């Protein structure tokens, strides 16, 4: 045992935790939730490319980088706050804080520094409206969702879903410096997509959530009610997904893709609704969860492809 | 209350030294990148007209 280890034990560990830490930069990178960050980068890029107007390529890259760092900061703050329940759930037990690689205080400092850096970068380099939206998004995820909603209401991911829905709007505002109805539609697609996506996961991971004491919908209202609500949200999502075409800021390829994928999404949601609520394997829920990721990715990828095509032609 | 930390008496293990060095390098890289970003953005925001000035 090194002297630092013994000092850690004698002094409660807080002061010497960074000095004697074994955390590598990659562990700090893991605090940023890179997979969530990549989705944020992607949707923000779509908002930025779709927006009318021009932006210097360097400023555009730095806007995306700032949004990515902001998303990472909220991930780190979330991991700091949720370290106790992360340790209980199998899906999250290996995260750096519950695994004992990074101390909670180091993670909190890291998250706060990145929050400050990302908001200031976006404000100084791009514009202050997008910076304000980014600051609000981080606040919404770290405080409103993680602190207030997650452990207290089954509507946690419904309201908290707003945090994941803001990035395309921030990308849009980075170019236009204003919030328009088109950016609200992009927000709405992700916002309405979030409940069926997470409740499908909650259906087949409900034991994990129950163990951690998180009041997800299947635990509080039961599987049947969750299945009904998944279908209800999917019925709203399918037409909302077509809105970019109906409102004229997406072309025919997007119409075909969004209508087709919306119908498939409804089909999977219907299969979940048909599933017996005491089903052990929950195969339809697993299929819906997998397809929901594909749905959002393909929808936004089509919007991106159309935006690039329009700029090139 | 915790006692003040006497860092001069602490001997880090090789693993801890390696981790600390990696973190220091990462921080240095981030700082250099930030300096480069703000340098180029400043040039960009000033625009080419900054070069046109009477002597």
């Amino acid at each position: 045992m090194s002297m630092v280890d013994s000092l850690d034990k004698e002094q409660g560990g807080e002061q010497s935790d960074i000095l004697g830490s074994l955390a590598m930069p990659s562990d700090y990178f893991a605090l940023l939730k890179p997979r969530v960050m990549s989705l944020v980068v992607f949707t923000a890029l779509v908002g930025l490319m779709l927006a009318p107007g021009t932006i210097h390529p360097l400023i555009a890259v730095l806007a995306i980088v700032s949004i990515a760092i902001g998303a990472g900061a909220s991930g780190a703050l979330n991991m700091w706050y949720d370290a106790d329940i992360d340790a209980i759930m199998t899906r999250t037990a290996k995260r750096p804080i519950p695994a004992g690689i990074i101390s909670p205080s180091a993670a909190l400092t890291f998250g706060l520094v990145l929050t400050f850096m990302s908001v200031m970068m976006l404000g100084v380099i791009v514009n202050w409206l997008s910076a304000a939206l980014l600051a609000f998004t981080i606040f919404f995820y770290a405080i409103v969702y993680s602190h207030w909603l997650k452990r207290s209401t089954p509507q946690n991911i419904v309201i908290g879903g707003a945090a994941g829905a803001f990035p395309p709007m921030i990308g849009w505002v980075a170019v236009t410096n204003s919030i328009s109805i088109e950016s609200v539609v992009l927000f709405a697609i992700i916002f309405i997509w979030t409940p069926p996506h997470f409740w499908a996961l909650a259906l087949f991971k409900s034991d994990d959530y129950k163990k951690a004491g998180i009041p997800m919908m299947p635990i509080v209202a039961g599987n049947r009610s969750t299945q009904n609500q998944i279908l209800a949200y999917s019925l709203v999502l399918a037409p909302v997904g077509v809105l970019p075409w109906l409102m004229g800021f997406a072309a025919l390829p997007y119409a075909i893709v969004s209508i087709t994928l919306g119908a498939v999404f409804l089909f999977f949601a219907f299969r979940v609704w048909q599933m017996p609520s005491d089903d052990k394997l929950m195969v339809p829920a697993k299929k819906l969860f997998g397809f929901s990721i594909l749905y959002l990715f393909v929808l936004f990828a089509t919007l991106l492809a159309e935006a690039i095509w329009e700029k090139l032609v | 209350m915790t006692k003040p930390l006497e860092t001069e008496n602490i001997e880090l293990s090789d693993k801890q030294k390696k981790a600390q060095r990696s973190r220091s390098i990462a921080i240095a890289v981030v700082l250099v990148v930030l300096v480069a970003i703000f340098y180029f953005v400043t040039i960009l925001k000033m625009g080419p007209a900054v070069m046109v000035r009477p002597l």
Side-chain angles (χ1 to χ4, degrees):
Chain A
M1 183 190 275
S2 71
M3 205 173 282
V4 162
D5 289 337
S6 45
L7 258 174
D8 252 322
K9 290 213 161 59
E10 282 168 23
Q11 302 190 344
E14 278 303 307
Q15 279 185 305
S16 57
D17 57 2
I18 301 210
L19 187 66
S21 169
L22 289 172
M24 300 295 278
S26 59
D27 297 312
Y28 280 91
F29 186 68
L31 272 186
L32 305 178
K33 296 193 176 179
R35 281 170 66 187
V36 176
M37 206 161 76
S38 63
L39 190 67
V40 166
V41 165
F42 178 59
T43 55
L45 178 67
V46 174
L48 189 138
M49 292 294 288
L50 268 184
T54 54
I55 184 169
H56 190 281
L58 178 64
I59 303 293
V61 169
L62 293 176
I64 297 294
V65 169
S66 303
I67 296 167
I69 296 172
S74 55
L77 293 173
N78 170 267
M79 281 204 206
W80 163 73
Y81 189 74
D82 277 347
D84 56 336
I85 50 177
D86 281 351
I88 298 169
M89 296 199 289
T90 50
R91 190 169 63 87
T92 52
K94 285 181 184 163
R95 284 178 174 176
I97 304 174
I101 300 166
I102 294 177
S103 71
S105 60
L108 174 63
T109 311
F110 185 60
L112 290 175
V113 168
L114 289 191
T115 299
F116 180 77
M117 262 177 59
S118 60
V119 173
M120 290 307 286
M121 257 180 76
L122 200 58
V124 170
I125 295 174
V126 185
N127 61 53
W128 286 102
L129 182 58
S130 57
L133 272 176
L134 181 65
F136 181 72
T137 306
I138 299 171
F139 164 79
F140 204 87
Y141 189 66
I143 307 292
V144 177
Y145 171 68
S146 301
H147 194 79
W148 293 338
L149 300 171
K150 188 172 177 179
R151 303 181 193 210
S152 58
T153 167
Q155 297 296 330
N156 48 13
I157 52 99
V158 179
I159 308 163
F166 272 118
M169 188 185 261
I170 302 173
W172 182 285
V173 172
V175 178
T176 63
N177 201 13
S178 65
I179 298 170
S180 59
I181 188 72
E182 294 92 335
S183 63
V184 175
V185 168
L186 296 179
F187 172 94
I189 293 173
I190 303 179
F191 185 70
I192 297 165
W193 165 90
T194 307
H197 167 75
F198 272 109
W199 285 337
L201 173 75
L203 277 173
F204 62 87
K205 285 277 181 188
S206 64
D207 285 347
D208 250 14
Y209 284 113
K210 196 184 262 178
K211 217 163 55 176
I214 303 171
M216 290 303 279
M217 193 58 82
I219 299 158
V220 177
N223 286 357
R224 177 42 53 200
S225 168
T226 308
Q227 289 164 264
N228 293 342
Q229 292 187 67
I230 285 176
L231 185 63
Y233 272 95
S234 304
L235 283 166
V236 179
L237 176 66
V240 167
V242 189
L243 276 182
W245 173 65
L246 292 174
M247 291 176 64
F249 64 98
L252 191 64
Y254 179 82
I256 297 165
V257 169
S258 61
I259 291 170
T260 311
L261 291 190
V264 178
F265 198 108
L266 268 177
F267 170 74
F268 279 116
F270 183 70
R271 294 298 298 271
V272 170
W273 184 73
Q274 276 186 321
M275 179 180 77
S277 54
D278 57 351
D279 194 298
K280 287 280 175 278
L281 292 174
M282 298 272 178
V283 174
K286 286 173 186 167
K287 281 186 177 169
L288 176 65
F289 178 73
F291 180 76
S292 66
I293 296 168
L294 185 75
Y295 172 84
L296 196 69
F297 177 77
V298 175
L299 235 57
F300 274 75
T302 311
L303 284 173
L304 183 62
E306 283 188 0
I308 292 171
W309 178 257
E310 199 175 306
K311 284 187 199 299
L312 288 176
V313 177
Chain B
M1 207 176 124
T2 54
K3 284 181 240 166
L5 185 69
E6 292 173 21
T7 50
E8 66 269 23
N9 293 331
I10 295 174
E11 204 173 300
L12 298 179
S13 69
D14 284 346
K15 266 188 167 181
Q16 286 169 325
K17 278 181 190 163
K18 194 183 164 208
Q20 192 183 41
R21 189 177 155 75
S22 300
R23 293 196 301 270
S24 301
I25 291 170
I27 292 169
V29 168
V30 168
L31 288 176
V32 169
V33 169
L34 273 179
V35 169
I37 284 173
F38 281 101
Y39 174 78
F40 285 113
V41 169
T42 306
I43 300 287
L44 190 80
K45 295 237 173 198
M46 286 193 300
V50 76
M51 302 300 284
V52 184
R53 51 182 291 184
L55 288 170

